[in-house]
Amino acid sequence: MSKKLSQDIAFWTFRILGWLVVGILLWILGFIIYNGIGVINWEFISQGPRDGMLKGGIFPAILGTFCLIVGSMIIAFPLGVMSAIYTNEYVRDGKISRFIRMMTNNLGSIPSIIFGLFGMALFVRYLGWKGSILAGSFTLGLLVLPLVIRTTEEALRMVPDALRVGSYALGASKLQTIRYVILPTAFPNVITGLILSVGRVSGETAPILFTGAAYFLANLPSSIFDKFMALPYHLYVISTSGTNLDAARPIAYGTALVLITLVLIINFTASFIRKYFSKKHGAH
Amino acid sequence: MIRRFIEKSVEKIFAACGMITTITILLIIIFLFKEGFGLFNSPEVEKGYALCVNAANPIDYISSPDVKKIYNSVITNWSELTEYDEKIVLFRDDNKDIFDFYKEEELGDSFEEIEANIPKKVLELIANTPGMLAFVHEENLQKNIEGVKVLDKGMVNPNDFFFGREWIPTSTPAPQFGILPLILGTLWVSLVAILIATPLGIGVAIYLSELAQSKVRDILKPAIELLAGIPSVVYGFFGLVVLVPMVQKTLGLPVGETAFTASVILAIMALPTIITVAEDAIRSAPRSMREASLALGATHWQTIYKVVIPYAASGISAAVVLGIGRAIGETMVALMVTGNAAVIPTTLFAPVRTIPATIAAELGEAPGGGVHYQALFVLGCVLFLITLVISITAELISKRQHNKGL
């Protein structure tokens, strides 16, 4: 075989593989959109399930997912950002920062079901919060912590050192430099990381299985100590358990579509913010 | 003065936050082991129950696997367990089986009277039947009953736990906690997934880093990011409604929920990780090496597979290891499309059960603090250790890549 021919074969294979990945993505998205679009209407989004989960909407699940997003971000965002500031601004390349980075990576590689077990043991049983929005939010908050830290660190690293040095030269202290120079510059990228974490939280199922997700609730939760319904858990139960799986399929497709749409919006927003601000930054 | 104080205290707060991931990992380890720790000190027999035999029987203890054999009629005579030649007579549950041995009139006249009499009658029955093995409520056993011997409660044996071939945690009176099929099931599914995902992922990584024009990259990169962003439960749902029937039909299998089905979905899920890490590794190959190779007359493809790939080998292996980690820990897909049969896998095209799926499916029903609950936490510890080993391996491998870069 000539060199040219083997190169052509190899390159065409890679090209096909590359487009295969796009094909898989389009297949999954297309399948869910095609089957789910007919189910979506105002009633589906604004009302609770009726008639043994076979009719009605998924509003409680949307609300529950929203509560989990807010709750987990209240926990993960400040902690994660401050942790990233510490490693990137205070102990930049020392042993401590290397240790923290290693631990963050390790935490990020722990499977989500382990977080579920942990949340059950610590929040639900040991601290006695029972299955609740509070327990679910804490579990998810700790789960996304590594993601928040990693994206924030990247954002901080992209701030040029010249800005730091310039700020010090003007007599600003370290804290002032962080507050008035570094954070405002890194802000768009920090927000991008935050949005990506929201995407992660909204799709996680395993950590909330035992920390308060409910199959069906007659009333909307009224406090953070109540159980909750959530989109991913709803999709799971409605597609695997129940007396009449076939009749529940439309609801499952609708739920999957809402979940996918949420993730798509989050991803597009994140990449829009990243692009918009990097252009603006480049113009300076 | 005050400003310096504020600066110092804020730094302390930041430092404390910097420790949060370490603290979380420690808490996870502490609570996982704390909840699972009691397992090997827990009686195998369900809380509140006891196994009893006739006092003439010399046996003191029957292991859980043996109890199961007795209940499945594999062992039918006491002589197989001890020096006591008597046929085994089983008595399972004191409120139902009792009517096999007594007529209703013998027990009492009214319903209440029967209820009150049952415990006494059960004990009488054991005392009068030489070959009996009875599973009874502990509260029904008054102390020192003539003719009845309560067997010692065996502890869950670590050997049976880690190498046992049966996982039947809810069977009474002899639950089986053998996690070998679950470990093998997890590895089996992940291994096949990675075998599918590796060539695909490396191919795409080469395409992205070496061949694709920037316009194509602008489509492919976001597509890969989106693939990574799709929630696992959606993958599970897609597998359930599309792949499961497809596998069942095209391969003519009795069920479509097989190890293979799960592996395909897990392979798709591991792709973004593999592609991203492998692409970075391939990109890090220095330009001078490529140009030297091209200058010697090698084609672009020869340069890629003789120079660039060997250079990026450790980075690519790190990518594969990370992909394995992703597949092993994945819960929802495994739960929804593997079929969840706890058997040691022998073929790709039969249901299996993985560790995460087992935890997810059973923890909700396991009574808190019980043997089953503890067993699931030990299972969690096993999974935790496996993923820890994987992430450390990946870190060591990618460190080698960095050193090469210097």
Side-chain angles (χ1 to χ4, degrees), chain B residues 375-386:
Chain B
L376 291 174
F377 270 87
V378 176
L379 212 48
C381 296
V382 171
L383 181 66
F384 179 80
L385 291 179
I386 294 176

Side-chain angles (χ1 to χ4, degrees), chain A residues 146-185:
Chain A
L147 185 61
V148 176
I149 295 177
R150 227 176 288 150
T151 49
T152 310
E153 256 206 88
E154 255 162 52
L156 295 175
R157 222 173 292 146
M158 276 157 76
V159 176
D161 268 346
L163 283 181
R164 292 190 181 88
V165 180
S167 169
Y168 294 141
L170 289 171
S173 70
K174 189 149 209 162
L175 190 57
Q176 284 171 325
T177 308
I178 294 171
R179 166 82 180 75
Y180 295 105
V181 178
I182 296 170
L183 278 184
T185 318

Side-chain angles (χ1 to χ4, degrees), chain A residues 75 119-120 122-139 211-212 224-227:
Chain A
I75 295 149
M120 166 114 175
L122 176 60
F123 303 125
V124 175
R125 277 168 55 89
Y126 188 75
L127 296 177
W129 295 349
K130 305 240 166 47
S132 60
I133 294 178
L134 190 64
S137 299
F138 262 87
T139 311
T211 51
I224 54 169
F225 293 103
D226 287 348
K227 282 183 161 260

Side-chain angles (χ1 to χ4, degrees), chain B residues 212-403:
Chain B
Q213 290 157 338
S214 69
K215 262 187 197 160
V216 176
R217 281 180 53 86
D218 285 349
I219 300 172
L220 269 176
K221 276 296 228 181
I224 291 160
E225 256 168 54
L226 263 185
L227 216 51
I230 293 178
S232 57
V233 66
V234 173
Y235 278 110
F237 178 64
F238 180 77
L240 193 67
V241 293
V242 177
L243 230 55
V244 165
M246 204 192 260
V247 167
Q248 188 182 358
K249 225 183 268 166
T250 46
L251 299 173
L253 299 169
V255 285
E257 281 107 339
T258 64
F260 176 73
T261 324
S263 298
V264 171
I265 298 276
L266 289 177
I268 298 176
M269 293 180 73
L271 265 182
T273 314
I274 298 182
I275 295 174
T276 320
V277 181
E279 194 203 341
D280 283 345
I282 293 172
R283 247 168 223 291
S284 72
R287 210 186 150 132
S288 54
M289 283 173 72
R290 283 167 217 263
E291 281 171 356
S293 162
L294 291 172
L296 288 171
T299 61
H300 190 184
W301 169 231
Q302 284 172 323
T303 308
I304 290 174
Y305 85 94
K306 292 239 166 92
V307 178
V308 176
I309 300 285
Y311 180 86
S314 47
I316 292 174
S317 354
V320 173
V321 173
L322 285 173
I324 296 177
R326 178 91 210 259
I328 282 184
E330 176 48 44
T331 311
M332 297 320 288
V333 169
L335 188 60
M336 290 164 92
V337 303
T338 53
N340 290 323
V343 288
I344 292 182
T346 47
T347 152
L348 260 184
F349 303 103
V352 288
R353 174 170 251 215
T354 71
I355 296 176
T358 306
I359 298 172
E362 292 174 7
L363 189 64
E365 270 113 56
V371 195
H372 188 192
Y373 177 89
Q374 289 170 331
L376 291 174
F377 270 87
V378 176
L379 212 48
C381 296
V382 171
L383 181 66
F384 179 80
L385 291 179
I386 294 176
T387 48
L388 195 68
V389 169
I390 289 175
S391 82
I392 290 172
T393 314
E395 213 149 296
L396 290 180
I397 296 174
S398 61
K399 206 173 259 170
R400 243 179 35 205
Q401 176 84 24
H402 282 302
N403 291 344

Side-chain angles (χ1 to χ4, degrees), chain B residues 86-207:
Chain B
E86 196 75 51
K87 207 171 164 328
I88 298 176
V89 183
L90 272 181
F91 182 83
R92 282 163 215 263
D93 186 37
D94 38 351
N95 290 332
K96 278 176 252 144
D97 271 18
I98 189 85
F99 297 106
D100 295 347
F101 295 93
Y102 292 104
K103 291 200 190 88
E104 222 169 301
E105 306 87 76
E106 288 176 88
L107 290 170
D109 298 328
S110 68
F111 181 71
E112 286 79 18
E113 208 180 330
I114 295 178
E115 281 280 287
N117 265 337
I118 281 179
K120 210 174 75 199
K121 288 284 181 189
V122 170
L123 296 178
E124 258 178 50
L125 187 65
I126 301 171
N128 295 334
T129 322
M132 174 150 283
L133 173 68
F135 182 59
V136 295
H137 274 293
E138 238 169 7
E139 54 187 56
N140 294 347
L141 294 168
Q142 298 109 350
K143 277 165 209 161
N144 300 327
I145 328 115
E146 286 274 321
V148 175
K149 182 158 78 178
V150 181
L151 292 183
D152 291 342
K153 288 187 171 181
M155 302 300 165
V156 176
N157 181 336
N159 209 33
D160 287 346
F161 184 81
F162 290 107
F163 301 105
R165 293 164 155 266
E166 277 183 307
W167 175 264
I168 317 169
T170 50
S171 110
T172 46
Q176 306 294 315
F177 296 106
I179 65 168
L180 195 64
L182 308 179
I183 295 180
L184 292 179
T186 311
L187 296 179
W188 186 230
V189 170
S190 322
L191 194 78
V192 177
I194 218 64
L195 285 180
I196 301 172
T198 302
L200 248 168
I202 294 175
V204 177
I206 293 175
Y207 180 55

Side-chain angles (χ1 to χ4, degrees), chain A residues 3 7 11 18 22 31 82-83 86 90 102-103 106 109-110 113-114 122 125 173 175 236 239 249 263-264, chain B residues 7 14-15 17 25 31 211 220 226 229 240-242 297 299-302 331 335-336 368 373 380 391 395:
Chain A
K3 284 200 278 185
Q7 166 156 320
F11 285 5
V22 181
F31 177 81
M82 287 201 272
S83 169
Y86 185 68
Y90 285 90
M102 191 184 83
M103 281 314 206
N106 282 339
S109 69
I110 294 177
I113 187 75
I114 300 284
L122 176 60
R125 277 168 55 89
S173 70
L175 190 57
Y236 164 61
S239 59
R249 274 291 182 261
V263 171
L264 286 180
Chain B
E7 291 262 338
F14 283 154
C17 289
I25 290 185
F31 272 88
L211 307 170
L220 269 176
L226 263 185
L240 193 67
V241 293
V242 177
T299 61
H300 190 184
W301 169 231
Q302 284 172 323
T331 311
L335 188 60
M336 290 164 92
Y373 177 89
S391 82
E395 213 149 296

